[in-house]
């Protein structure tokens, strides 16, 4: 048994060391950087203590980005949960072609983000895009709209595109939870006279809740960290209307050349996210018991 | 010659001690069955012999070799699991030969052994199939075949038949008995089914709360239980127990009053008379030792509560008073309805006596 | 179970909605890539191509190093998959089937890595790679992608490993298999669907990654598909035909891969346990 403990360590060590070197160590570097005044990568900096933190916490940019990140996460959570839940329930039914549907629903997720961006940029564009004519034909719009022109339509469009990319993945994870609910529970409920809606409320929802809890945590972290879709579509604009925290960090570091400030925002973001992850998993553990 | 010797075995999981000092000797070729209620430690004990659980204290020897700290594979044992535990991705032949392959045996020799074992278990036609393609009984035979090819000194069975349906269970029970005869190997078998225990065992070990209650041949446990627990555990339906007051004693029996049955002056046989006369004892009567046929002995008037008719025999559940229930096995299935009152006869020589602590008198 | 008529209608309508939601954009992209430029930007878009031209594809393969990007992406994604599996399988096996001190703490810290905003490590990692000379080299991308795919991969293997009955492992112990033999001969074959799922996850993570590839790779010949593709987007004059052709070419390899082993990914995600 003693030898098997050493073996167990040997089996986890490569993964741990790898993550330590690629994620852990850079985080330490980021903390160091946040206490200095480095502007460009490679240039020397001097120790400034918590100056960066004080400056960022007292300015509006960080708080605006935090607010937008929260809006981003919540909006994505709502849209993705609804789409994914409906999709998962459909995929859990039996109908001709369900196996094909189960496989190919994930199509939106396996395509490079840049391609997703181009697809939707074209579809939403005023020249040749399909969305404007479609909405005009349906009588929702009177004339073509520039979806990325105003802050809130830009944000809404971004949420839609990101949700479109991610909801199938979430739906499959939900489907995994759904398939674990035994069929005879539904049959028993039917014998008890429950209709489809009651069966959903009294069986599907409560039994799926633990899975949904885990997915809520994972989904929050996933969407919080989304950067490429936003950057490629709006670069945080218009008028900073989609400048979430990851966008702010990138801008500060690579456009504003204020590396230490970017590191400072990074460190604070990490602390927030980790606190969230710890609290959320604790809460989940508790409801599990 | 002793093949398997357990000496004062203890096992703790954290602060809870689940095996609290078990000693046992099995001679070569003996069929030992562990029985007991769930949680009594019978499976843990088997897993300790297998080496799947570490032994906290005590000694296990197999074939005069101390194996307490030896790897499971090097103990000279083979185990058949309740769930069969076949490797789903391997064929029957690969399943049976895996252990031999691990021990470094060459392919030709391995296949010869597998074929031989398969033939004796009627599995030859299935050697290339996957476990998924087999019936429950066939899977069980593969699991047994996997044990046989290892040529172990001791076979261990962990409730091997409990996943099979009733008919198959009887068939496999006979097959295991035949196997034991053919191989002449020492076998240790865990079950909660007393029919399996009574029919298969040379020696039954009754366990409770991590302790041995009694070890003996099947009929010995039935006819001569050491205590209330064994008396109640062996035999179905369960033995009836009633409190009794001792009013007198003779050289080999007590004279007792049994208020619950409204009987007095009943002579009850004792194995050994204690020095001092106990005032109250517990008496036990097996349902099959109560009859409706008038005979010499004592009789009680009962009211039928329910009849379970099994065909060959019927179980009568009756009451004497509000608190007193009695179960009887009746051979002559007379048309008794719930609510009917009639007389049951007791043969005093078949009454067991136990002291206040539950030990047999 | 039988469904009522109204439920069937609801199911059909939802199915049509999702098919359109997911399918239409792809259809428009693929069909648009063979339309003439004037049809692509016409005021009234067409559902089915009215014209046919291979000109966008010709331009794509003449004007850019698209085949090179494609090969680079395949190298990065395949290597990421292999390295992720080599690291994740033993770690997950140890985490979920063996006991050792500090197991819970270590597992939790791996999950916390998942809470990392990837952008946070971009700056320090760039510095680190600069120091060891990995900037502008494909291995740097492989390292980064493995780091992002690994925590989730380990977590994903959990339910697969949990689905293997303990008795099978014990039977193997009695058969004399060492821990490593059990991993290789029993566990890995039994969790194959899970390994396929993790493999696809890692592959897709690497295949779609853009930010790090755009920062860590400087020379055109080392670009991956997403970065190369973004290079043809152009800032002022947008050539939609070229972009749609590029998008189609970027979609095809993953779709082909997915057609081969995609079913394993989905059933891997949804079934988990070994039956």
């Amino acid at each position: 048994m003693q030898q098997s403990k050493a073996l167990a360590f040997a089996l986890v060590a490569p993964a741990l060391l790898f993550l330590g070197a690629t994620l852990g160590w850079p985080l330490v570097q980021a903390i160091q950087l946040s206490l200095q005044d480095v502007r460009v990568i490679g240039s020397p900096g001097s120790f400034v203590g918590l100056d960066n933190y004080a400056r960022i916490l007292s300015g509006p940019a960080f708080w605006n980005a935090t607010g937008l990140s929260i809006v981003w996460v919540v909006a994505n959570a709502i849209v993705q949960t609804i789409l994914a839940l409906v999709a998962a329930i459909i995929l859990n039914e039996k109908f001709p072609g369900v196996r094909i549907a189960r496989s190919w629903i994930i199509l939106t997720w396996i395509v490079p983000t840049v391609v997703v961006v181009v697809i939707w940029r074209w579809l939403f564009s005023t020249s040749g895009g399909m969305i404007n004519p479609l909405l005009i034909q349906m009588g929702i719009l009177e004339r073509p709209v520039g979806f990325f022109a105003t802050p809130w339509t830009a944000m809404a469009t971004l949420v839609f595109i990101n949700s479109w990319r991610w909801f199938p993945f979430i739906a499959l994870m939900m489907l995994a939870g759904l398939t674990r609910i035994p069929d005879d529970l539904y049959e028993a409920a039917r014998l008890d006279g429950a209709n489809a809606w009651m069966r959903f409320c009294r069986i599907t929802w409560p039994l799926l809740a633990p899975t949904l809890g885990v997915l809520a945590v994972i989904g929050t972290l996933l969407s919080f960290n989304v950067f490429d879709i936003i950057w490629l579509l709006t670069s945080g604009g218009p008028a900073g209307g989609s400048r979430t925290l990851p966008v702010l960090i990138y801008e500060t570091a690579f456009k504003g050349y204020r590396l230490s400030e970017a590191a400072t925002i990074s460190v604070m973001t990490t602390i927030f996210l980790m606190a969230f992850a710890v609290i959320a998993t604790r809460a989940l553990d508790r409801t599990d018991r | 010659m002793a093949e398997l010797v357990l000496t004062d075995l203890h096992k703790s999981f954290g602060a809870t001690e689940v095996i609290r000092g078990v000693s046992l000797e099995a001679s070569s070729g003996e069929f030992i069955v562990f029985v007991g209620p769930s949680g009594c430690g019978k499976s843990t004990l088997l897993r300790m012999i297998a080496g799947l659980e570490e032994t906290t204290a005590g000694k296990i020897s197999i074939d005069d070799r101390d194996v307490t700290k030896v790897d499971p594979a090097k103990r000279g044992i083979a185990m058949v699991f309740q769930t069969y535990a076949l490797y789903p991705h391997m064929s029957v032949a690969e399943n049976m030969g895996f252990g031999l392959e691990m021990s470094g045996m060459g392919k030709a020799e391995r296949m010869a052994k597998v074929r031989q074992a398969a033939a004796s278990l009627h599995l030859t036609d299935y050697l290339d199939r996957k476990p998924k393609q087999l019936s429950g009984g066939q899977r069980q035979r593969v699991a047994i075949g996997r044990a046989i090819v290892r040529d172990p000194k001791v076979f261990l069975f962990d409730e091997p038949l409990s996943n099979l349906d009733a008919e198959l269970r009887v068939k496999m029970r006979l097959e295991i008995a035949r196997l034991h005869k053919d191989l002449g190997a020492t076998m240790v078998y865990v079950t909660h089914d007393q029919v399996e225990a009574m029919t298969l065992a040379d020696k039954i070990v009754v366990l409770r709360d991590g302790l041995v209650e009694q070890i003996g041949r099947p009929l010995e446990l039935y006819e001569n239980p050491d205590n209330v627990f064994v008396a109640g555990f062996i035999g179905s339906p369960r033995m009836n127990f009633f409190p009794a007051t001792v009013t007198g004693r003779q050289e080999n029996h007590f004279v007792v009053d049994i208020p619950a049955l409204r009987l007095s002056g009943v002579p009850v046989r004792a194995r050994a008379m204690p020095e001092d006369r106990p005032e109250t004892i517990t008496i036990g009567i097996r349902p099959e030792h109560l009859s409706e046929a008038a005979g010499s002995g004592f009789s009680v008037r009962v009211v039928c509560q329910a009849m379970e008719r099994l065909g060959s025999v019927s179980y009568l559940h009756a009451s004497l008073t509000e608190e007193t229930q009695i179960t009887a096995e009746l051979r002559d299935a007379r048309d008794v309805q719930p609510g009917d009152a009639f007389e049951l006869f007791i043969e005093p020589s078949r009454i067991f006596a136990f002291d206040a602590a539950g030990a047999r008198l | 179970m039988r469904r009522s008529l109204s439920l069937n209608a609801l199911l059909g309508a939802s199915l049509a909605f999702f098919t359109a939601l997911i399918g239409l954009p792809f259809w428009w992209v693929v069909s648009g890539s063979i339309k003439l430029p004037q049809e692509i930007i016409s005021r009234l878009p067409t559902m089915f191509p009215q014209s046919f031209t291979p000109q966008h594809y010709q331009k794509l393969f003449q004007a850019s190093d698209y085949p090179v990007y494609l090969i680079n992406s395949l190298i990065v994604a395949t290597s990421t998959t292999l390295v992720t599996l080599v690291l994740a399988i033993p770690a997950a096996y140890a985490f979920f089937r063996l006991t050792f001190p500090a197991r819970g703490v270590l597992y939790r810290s791996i999950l916390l890595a998942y809470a990392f905003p990837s952008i946070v490590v971009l700056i320090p990692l760039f510095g680190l790679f600069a120091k060891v000379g990995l900037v502008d080299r494909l291995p740097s991308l492989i390292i980064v992608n493995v780091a992002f795919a690994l925590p989730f991969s380990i977590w994903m293997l959990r339910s697969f490993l949990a689905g293997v009955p303990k008795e099978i492992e014990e039977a193997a112990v009695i058969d004399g298999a060492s821990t490593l033999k059990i991993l290789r001969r029993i566990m890995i074959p039994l969790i194959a669907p899970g390994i396929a799922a993790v493999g696809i996850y890692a592959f897709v993570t690497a295949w779609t990654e853009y930010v790090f590839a755009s920062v860590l790779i400087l020379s055109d010949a080392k670009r991956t598909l997403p970065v190369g593709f973004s290079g043809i987007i152009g800032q002022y004059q947008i050539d939609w035909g070229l972009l749609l052709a590029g998008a189609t070419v970027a979609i095809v390899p993953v779709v082909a891969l997915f057609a081969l082993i995609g079913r394993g990914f989905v059933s891997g995600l949804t079934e988990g346990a070994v039956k």
Side-chain angles (χ1 to χ4, degrees):
Chain A
M1 288 295 140
Q2 207 53 45
Q3 169 248 345
S4 87
K5 266 176 206 165
L7 184 64
F9 275 121
L11 291 174
V12 292
L16 282 175
L17 290 176
F18 188 91
L19 288 175
T22 52
L23 300 179
W25 191 79
L27 181 66
V28 174
Q29 292 282 99
I31 295 172
Q32 263 181 20
L33 210 52
S34 74
L35 302 173
Q36 299 173 339
D37 60 354
V38 179
R39 299 186 65 86
V40 196
I41 287 182
S43 70
S46 51
F47 183 80
V48 295
L50 294 173
D51 281 6
N52 289 323
Y53 290 87
R55 187 164 58 250
I56 283 160
L57 286 172
S58 60
F62 174 73
W63 295 111
N64 284 343
T66 306
L68 280 171
S69 272
I70 292 170
V71 170
W72 169 257
V73 165
V74 171
N76 268 295
I78 293 170
V79 177
Q80 284 177 43
T81 305
I82 294 171
L83 284 176
L85 189 58
V86 175
I89 288 172
I90 293 173
L91 292 180
N92 197 35
E93 291 290 322
K94 288 188 185 76
F95 58 86
V98 65
R99 293 186 68 98
I100 293 169
R102 280 186 183 185
S103 300
W104 288 106
I105 188 180
I106 202 75
L107 189 60
T108 65
W109 176 72
I110 60 176
V111 168
T113 333
V114 192
V115 175
V116 171
V117 163
V118 164
I119 292 175
W120 287 103
R121 203 161 141 189
W122 177 55
L123 292 176
F124 275 113
S125 82
T126 42
S127 60
M130 309 288 176
I131 310 259
N132 269 312
L134 201 72
L135 291 178
I136 291 169
Q137 220 157 48
M138 288 163 70
I140 296 171
L141 291 181
E142 279 179 23
R143 56 199 150 76
V145 167
F147 283 92
F148 297 108
T150 66
W152 89 260
T153 51
M155 188 64 158
T157 311
L158 284 172
V159 168
F160 169 77
I161 295 172
N162 187 56
S163 298
W164 180 81
R165 172 163 148 79
W166 277 102
F167 90 85
F169 186 78
I170 307 283
L172 285 184
M173 310 275 281
M174 285 184 185
L175 181 62
L178 280 180
T179 53
R180 283 183 199 121
I181 301 177
D183 274 349
D184 44 6
L185 281 184
Y186 290 103
E187 280 160 15
R190 271 163 89 99
L191 292 179
D192 285 339
N195 63 29
W197 174 245
M198 282 152 81
R199 290 201 296 275
F200 173 80
C201 292
R202 306 296 291 274
I203 297 174
T204 311
W205 183 259
L207 290 179
L208 196 59
T211 310
L212 290 179
V214 174
L215 285 180
V217 178
I218 293 176
T220 301
L221 298 174
L222 273 177
S223 30
F224 189 96
N225 291 328
V226 167
F227 165 74
D228 42 9
I229 286 187
I230 304 178
W231 182 251
L232 289 166
L233 276 167
T234 65
S235 304
S242 56
R243 193 186 284 127
T244 59
L245 280 167
V247 177
L248 179 68
I249 294 169
Y250 187 86
E251 260 186 11
T252 311
F254 295 99
K255 303 287 155 185
Y257 299 109
R258 297 192 304 278
L259 210 53
S260 280
E261 275 186 34
T264 308
I265 305 172
S266 299
V267 171
M268 287 192 290
T269 307
T270 308
I271 292 169
F272 281 153
L273 280 187
M274 290 209 169
F276 166 79
V278 168
I279 292 167
T281 42
R282 284 259 171 82
L284 285 179
D285 280 354
R286 206 161 301 142
T287 48
D288 260 6
R289 264 172 229 140
Chain B
M1 184 187 73
E3 189 82 351
L4 171 70
V5 182
L6 311 182
T7 318
D8 197 27
L9 285 187
H10 288 259
K11 170 75 189 173
S12 304
F13 290 111
T16 34
E17 197 173 26
V18 291
I19 299 293
R20 304 186 292 161
V22 170
S23 298
L24 176 72
E25 275 194 24
S27 45
S28 182
E30 228 177 351
F31 199 118
I32 309 281
V33 175
F34 293 169
V35 289
S38 53
C40 69
K42 55 187 187 292
S43 279
T44 307
L45 195 57
L46 191 79
R47 291 166 57 81
M48 286 162 75
I49 300 171
L52 294 172
E53 300 284 357
E54 269 177 85
T55 300
T56 311
K59 191 178 134 187
I60 302 168
S61 32
I62 292 172
D63 200 20
D64 293 328
R65 187 167 67 105
D66 182 355
V67 297
T68 317
K69 302 236 181 287
V70 174
D71 274 350
K74 300 193 177 107
R75 290 187 175 202
I77 52 103
M79 184 154 166
V80 176
F81 292 83
Q82 178 177 357
T83 53
Y84 323 132
L86 301 178
Y87 310 122
H89 57 298
M90 296 185 195
S91 69
V92 168
E94 286 167 334
N95 260 287
M96 289 169 67
F98 188 69
L100 300 179
E101 189 191 337
M102 290 295 112
S103 70
M105 186 184 283
K107 186 158 187 196
E109 200 182 342
R110 209 159 73 212
M111 280 315 293
K113 283 201 133 194
V114 167
R115 265 177 216 295
Q116 194 188 344
S120 76
L121 290 161
H122 313 293
L123 286 170
T124 310
D125 295 343
Y126 304 102
L127 281 175
D128 294 327
R129 297 224 188 148
K130 294 275 168 70
K132 230 190 290 183
Q133 300 164 291
L134 301 178
S135 70
Q138 287 165 341
R139 287 182 208 184
Q140 187 56 265
R141 289 214 295 273
V142 176
I144 293 172
R146 181 167 67 180
I148 291 176
V149 294
R150 292 172 53 77
D151 214 356
K153 298 207 169 60
V154 180
F155 281 82
L156 306 175
F157 293 89
D158 190 3
E159 308 210 21
L161 305 185
S162 56
N163 279 9
L164 300 174
D165 62 38
E167 195 187 339
L168 212 52
R169 203 179 299 173
V170 174
K171 230 176 107 187
M172 286 306 296
R173 204 169 71 207
L174 289 168
E175 197 152 341
I176 290 175
R178 177 184 65 85
L179 199 72
H180 178 236
K181 221 178 78 201
D182 291 355
L183 297 172
T186 311
M187 295 187 171
V188 182
Y189 189 107
V190 165
T191 182
H192 61 262
D193 182 321
Q194 43 166 302
V195 179
E196 280 172 33
M198 297 296 280
T199 52
L200 288 171
D202 292 322
K203 202 194 256 175
I204 293 181
V205 180
V206 182
L207 290 159
R208 180 171 66 145
D209 290 344
L211 286 171
V212 173
E213 289 284 329
Q214 190 172 355
I215 300 177
R217 284 178 298 106
L219 282 184
E220 202 171 290
L221 296 190
Y222 176 80
E223 282 166 357
N224 210 356
D226 277 348
N227 51 51
V228 169
F229 179 78
V230 175
F233 193 79
I234 304 285
S236 170
R238 209 177 131 80
M239 186 185 277
N240 297 291
F241 293 105
F242 303 103
T245 328
V246 179
T247 57
R249 62 182 286 177
Q250 280 155 21
E251 54 186 294
N252 64 352
H253 64 264
F254 297 104
V255 178
V256 299
D257 289 350
I258 312 166
L261 301 179
R262 298 198 200 90
L263 293 174
S264 55
V266 184
V268 177
R269 203 166 39 90
R271 283 201 297 205
M273 294 303 281
E275 292 287 303
D276 46 342
R277 196 181 87 179
E279 288 193 6
T280 56
I281 60 172
T282 301
I283 62 119
I285 312 167
R286 292 198 184 277
E288 53 271 40
H289 298 146
L290 291 162
S291 72
E292 49 174 354
S296 67
F298 295 79
S299 72
V300 288
R301 261 196 100 65
V302 298
V303 176
C304 172
Q305 302 264 302
M307 269 302 260
E308 293 177 308
R309 292 191 174 79
L310 274 61
S312 58
V313 295
S314 302
Y315 299 139
L316 167 76
H317 301 278
S319 61
L320 288 101
T321 61
E322 292 273 308
E323 308 91 74
T324 315
Q325 299 282 324
I326 192 163
T327 304
E329 184 183 307
L330 305 179
R331 240 150 242 97
D332 185 11
R334 216 183 50 180
D335 188 25
V336 182
Q337 297 298 326
D340 291 358
F342 65 102
E343 220 149 348
L344 279 179
F345 293 86
I346 301 167
E347 179 56 53
S349 64
R350 300 285 213 162
I351 298 179
F352 296 95
F354 305 94
D355 69 12
R360 176 83 181 281
L361 286 166
Chain C
M1 243 194 306
R2 270 185 296 142
R3 289 181 295 260
S4 66
L5 203 64
S6 57
L7 269 186
N8 258 332
L10 195 66
L11 180 73
S14 319
L15 210 54
F17 169 74
F18 280 112
T19 309
L21 183 66
I22 293 167
L24 271 187
F26 286 103
W27 168 247
W28 277 324
V29 168
V30 174
S31 66
S33 70
I34 54 162
K35 290 176 184 171
L36 283 169
Q38 48 270 43
E39 192 186 342
I40 295 176
I41 55 162
S42 81
R43 212 160 269 283
L44 284 170
T46 49
M47 194 60 158
F48 300 99
Q50 306 292 314
S51 55
F52 172 80
T53 172
Q55 70 180 69
H56 308 304
Y57 287 94
Q58 284 165 351
K59 195 170 168 195
L60 179 72
F61 287 107
Q62 280 160 11
S64 70
D65 277 337
Y66 228 63
V68 176
Y69 307 151
L70 201 64
I71 289 166
N72 286 341
S73 262
L74 283 173
I75 291 172
V76 170
T78 312
S79 315
T80 300
T81 307
L82 291 177
V83 177
T84 303
L85 288 178
V86 165
L87 292 175
I89 295 170
Y93 176 62
F95 274 128
F96 306 123
R97 298 303 288 215
L98 304 176
T99 49
F100 55 93
R103 182 174 69 146
V105 175
L106 292 177
Y107 177 54
R108 258 160 220 274
S109 61
I110 279 199
L111 281 193
L112 271 190
Y114 192 55
F116 256 70
S118 51
I119 206 85
V120 168
V121 292
L122 178 55
I123 302 152
L125 265 188
F126 189 91
L128 180 65
F129 286 147
K131 233 176 261 170
V132 294
L134 275 175
V135 170
D136 201 27
R137 295 184 56 195
L138 294 182
S140 67
L141 295 185
I142 297 166
I143 291 171
V144 166
N145 287 320
V146 171
F148 293 143
L150 191 53
F152 192 69
S153 299
I154 293 174
W155 182 80
M156 256 170 100
L157 286 174
R158 180 170 123 123
S159 67
F160 295 98
L161 285 162
V164 179
K166 189 103 195 109
E167 286 86 358
I168 289 187
E169 218 175 334
E170 289 174 349
V173 168
I174 288 181
D175 272 342
S178 63
T179 306
L180 286 178
K181 277 249 169 61
I182 292 175
L183 175 60
R184 202 161 59 82
R185 295 288 306 273
I186 309 289
M187 285 300 180
I188 289 181
L190 286 184
I191 62 167
I195 292 173
V198 166
I200 293 184
Y201 176 79
F203 189 93
V204 169
T205 301
W207 182 260
T208 58
E209 204 286 318
Y210 168 76
V211 180
F212 282 73
S214 71
V215 173
L216 293 174
I217 298 299
L218 310 171
S219 52
D220 191 50
K222 305 261 174 60
R223 282 187 183 161
T224 57
L225 202 59
V227 181
F229 180 70
S230 73
I232 61 170
I233 292 181
Q235 285 305 310
Y236 307 102
Q237 189 95 46
I238 298 177
D239 184 347
W240 285 117
L242 182 67
L243 279 183
L244 296 183
T248 307
V249 173
I251 293 168
V252 168
V254 264
V255 167
L257 174 82
F258 200 70
L260 280 178
I261 51 175
R263 189 165 281 180
F265 179 67
V266 175
S267 62
L269 268 183
T270 52
E271 272 158 32
V274 178
K275 299 268 158 62

